[in-house]
């Protein structure tokens, strides 16, 4: 005798429900994966503007502190030197104007990095980016525009301090962009306790 087995309707409904739940989980995981893998992001321009503002504010204030502590002889307002009198740039108001110019430089640098180099991973591209900006400002254009003395006429402390500030400034911009627009955040642990 051949017996026929039929699957109870309840079990069939449960399997369909389980399959649809699996499909929903798969869709949710793929959406989460796209968000983490770099396909869904914040808009480029607003992100770059905000990043540039905070990079300029933070590292501009750090440069100001280093100048106040005599680690560097390059005034905080060195970027504004071509537009204002040197005597004004030595005042507190001149330092504030210089901070605003540094914020503007940071916004421009952040826009350039975000638009052109956002696919680079890790901290090294940002460090190189900061070093390139130091060379542009302190070697190529700064001495010619009267922003500061050429590097061979600066003190060693000033050179070390400015190079380090620009390396960290570039790292701040570059790595922040890398975390936002590549899969760098996948390397980070999900929970602090793990």
């Amino acid at each position: 005798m051949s017996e026929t087995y039929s699957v109870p309707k309840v079990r069939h409904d449960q399997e369909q429900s389980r399959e649809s739940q699996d499909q929903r989980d798969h869709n949710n995981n793929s959406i989460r994966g796209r968000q983490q893998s770099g396909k869904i992001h914040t808009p480029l321009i607003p992100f770059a503007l905000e990043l540039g503002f905070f990079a300029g504010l933070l590292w501009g204030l750090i440069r100001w502190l280093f100048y106040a502590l005599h680690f560097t002889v390059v005034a905080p307002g060195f970027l504004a030197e071509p537009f204002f009198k040197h005597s004004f740039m030595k005042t507190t108001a001149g330092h504030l104007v210089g901070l605003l110019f540094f914020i503007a430089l940071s916004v421009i640098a952040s826009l350039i990095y975000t638009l052109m180099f956002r696919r680079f991973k890790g901290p090294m591209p940002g460090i190189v980016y900061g070093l390139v900006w130091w060379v542009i400002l302190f070697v190529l254009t700064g001495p010619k525009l009267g922003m500061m003395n050429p590097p061979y006429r600066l003190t060693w402390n000033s050179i070390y301090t400015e190079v380090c500030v620009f390396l960290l400034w570039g790292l701040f911009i570059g790595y922040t962009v890398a975390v936002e627009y590549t899969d760098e955040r996948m390397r980070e642990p999900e929970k602090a306790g793990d």
Side-chain angles (χ1 to χ4, degrees):
M1 262 185 154
S2 84
E3 294 182 19
T4 325
Y5 293 100
S6 65
V7 177
K9 187 169 179 93
V10 173
R11 187 171 194 167
H12 181 68
D13 289 343
Q14 287 174 347
E15 286 178 10
Q16 282 182 340
S17 173
R18 189 177 309 130
E19 286 175 3
S20 65
Q21 180 64 34
D22 289 343
Q23 183 65 32
R24 283 193 301 268
D25 289 345
H26 175 72
N27 289 342
N28 289 340
N29 288 338
S30 65
I31 289 171
R32 245 183 270 124
R34 279 197 312 262
Q35 288 172 339
Q36 290 177 348
S37 69
K39 292 189 173 49
I40 297 175
H41 303 291
T42 56
L44 290 174
I45 303 299
F47 174 79
L49 294 175
E50 184 178 2
L51 173 61
F53 173 78
F54 285 108
L57 182 64
L58 174 68
W59 294 104
L61 289 173
I62 289 173
R63 279 196 76 256
W64 196 354
L65 175 68
F66 287 162
Y67 179 77
L69 295 174
H70 303 288
F71 287 135
T72 181
V73 295
V74 179
F78 78 97
L79 290 171
E81 283 278 345
F83 307 104
F84 295 94
K85 290 184 177 182
H86 185 70
S87 58
F88 172 72
M89 296 313 300
K90 290 191 175 254
T91 65
T92 304
H95 293 176
L96 288 173
V97 168
L99 178 64
L100 293 176
F101 271 72
F102 193 75
I103 290 171
L105 170 74
S106 298
V107 167
I108 291 167
S110 177
L111 280 167
I112 291 169
Y113 193 93
T114 302
L115 293 174
M116 296 177 68
F117 308 121
R118 70 180 173 271
R119 298 291 177 210
F120 290 145
K121 297 179 181 181
M124 286 308 294
I127 291 171
V128 171
Y129 190 67
L131 183 62
V132 167
W133 273 103
W134 183 85
V135 169
I136 289 170
L137 292 173
F138 282 79
V139 177
L140 300 177
T141 60
K144 292 177 184 164
L145 295 175
M147 292 183 198
M148 80 275 301
N149 290 327
Y152 63 85
R153 296 190 63 211
L154 292 174
T155 63
W156 282 108
N157 286 344
S158 295
I159 293 172
Y160 293 146
T161 301
E162 296 295 343
V163 167
C164 289
V165 167
F166 273 86
L167 289 178
L168 291 171
W169 172 78
L171 174 66
F172 182 85
I173 290 172
Y175 201 64
T176 302
V177 171
V179 167
E180 184 64 28
Y181 292 103
T182 65
D183 61 351
E184 283 297 309
R185 74 178 77 204
M186 296 295 285
R187 296 178 2 171
E188 299 292 326
E190 292 213 12
K191 294 182 182 176
D194 288 346

